[in-house]
Amino acid sequence: MTKYHAVRDRLLDRLDAMAAGEQLPPERDLAQSLGVSRMTLRRAIDELVVRGAVRRRHGAGVFALGPKLSQGLMASSFSEDMRTRGLRPGARTLTFEVGPVGARIGRRLKVSPSDDVVQITRLRLADDEPMAVEELHVPAALVPGLVAADLEDRSFYELLGERYGVSLARAVQTAEPTVVDAQEARDLDVPVHTPALQFERTSWGRAGEVIEFVRSVYRGDRYKIRTELTIPATTPAAEEDAR
């Protein structure tokens, strides 16, 4: 193991005991306590920045990010997901528009390109920390009277059920790696082209109608995808055939 790898592992041990947002000691003090040169320390910290374990703020220092939140491949709202982790969910409405949606989104929602669609961009928060930018598209006829303030710090799915009597029956979601653009970087408080996870989801109601199309960009330094796999039972004959 190279010296900087050993330093990296010692830093990871230290980070395990630190809270998200807690600052590492100054570089000079940290290098001295670890018994390494500042160049070796910087190299180890650079790798931790790339891995999403710490964030370097120029002129301020290096800060722990805490463990990544796992995104399971299952249907659940952001608010519900954060509450199960003991975090306080939040949402800030960035844009709210109602109007014709165009051909691409119209195909997703199974509506005419000239039909009115509510288009909402929200910043999703966990304990006031930016986690994701969410672009939500909903047929306007489904949510009459909806205004931007209705979605501040509130689950959209809870609002659908309580106000409009709409519940989701199924959804199809894709996930792929991406990088944040300039606007997303400002909203999420991360550098431009920071790695991220992009989710696109189409959801249907119980009558087969399309309820929503959502594109979400989650911070790659704070999220990972978790998949639970079930191993099918095999018979001795099948095992023999597999050999």
Side-chain angles (χ1 to χ4, degrees):
M1 181 181 292
T2 65
K3 180 176 289 188
Y4 102 86
H5 279 115
V7 173
R8 177 203 63 192
D9 289 349
R10 291 177 66 184
L11 289 174
L12 286 171
D13 288 340
R14 180 188 289 254
L15 289 168
D16 283 342
M18 295 175 65
E22 189 174 347
Q23 185 175 6
L24 284 169
E27 187 178 276
R28 183 188 302 274
D29 297 343
L30 190 55
Q32 184 175 1
S33 68
L34 295 174
V36 297
S37 69
R38 294 175 71 174
M39 182 178 296
T40 299
L41 176 64
R42 285 181 194 140
R43 187 178 176 192
I45 290 176
D46 286 344
E47 183 172 331
L48 295 181
V49 170
V50 172
R51 291 177 57 168
V54 298
R55 179 189 298 178
R56 180 185 280 117
R57 294 178 181 168
H58 295 292
V62 179
F63 298 82
L65 285 175
K68 289 188 177 183
L69 303 177
S70 61
Q71 172 71 36
L73 297 180
M74 63 184 70
S76 65
S77 73
F78 178 91
S79 299
E80 179 185 356
D81 193 24
M82 292 303 103
R83 291 190 192 107
T84 61
R85 303 174 193 276
L87 302 173
R88 185 179 69 260
R92 187 183 309 152
T93 303
L94 304 177
T95 66
F96 185 97
E97 300 176 4
V98 180
V101 72
R104 187 179 71 86
I105 301 299
R107 286 194 298 270
R108 298 277 192 161
L109 295 176
K110 304 299 183 186
V111 299
S112 167
S114 61
D115 286 352
D116 280 347
V117 169
V118 181
Q119 303 173 73
I120 308 151
T121 304
R122 294 200 294 172
L123 182 65
R124 307 311 308 267
L125 310 166
D127 284 350
D128 295 324
E129 181 183 9
M131 288 290 171
V133 175
E134 174 187 273
E135 298 173 2
L136 172 63
H137 307 267
V138 186
L142 189 70
V143 286
L146 184 70
V147 296
D150 292 334
L151 294 171
E152 288 284 329
D153 292 326
R154 187 171 186 184
S155 165
F156 176 61
Y157 293 161
E158 291 175 359
L159 179 65
L160 276 179
E162 294 171 5
R163 181 182 296 183
Y164 300 105
V166 174
S167 59
L168 274 57
R170 68 184 184 94
V172 173
Q173 178 169 277
T174 62
E176 60 182 304
T178 187
V179 295
V180 299
D181 61 23
Q183 183 60 56
E184 292 162 347
R186 287 191 290 271
D187 293 335
L188 294 173
D189 191 24
V190 297
V192 177
H193 298 153
T194 292
L197 293 171
Q198 175 180 280
F199 295 89
E200 290 190 347
R201 182 175 67 253
T202 303
S203 304
W204 289 265
R206 304 202 177 278
E209 74 281 21
V210 179
I211 301 298
E212 63 170 1
F213 170 67
V214 186
R215 175 184 175 269
S216 302
V217 175
Y218 282 76
R219 286 172 50 177
D221 62 343
R222 300 297 287 123
Y223 264 82
K224 61 184 177 182
I225 298 176
R226 175 180 54 83
T227 306
E228 186 172 324
L229 304 177
T230 300
I231 309 301
T234 57
T235 64
E239 292 177 354
E240 186 63 31
D241 290 342
R243 296 193 190 102

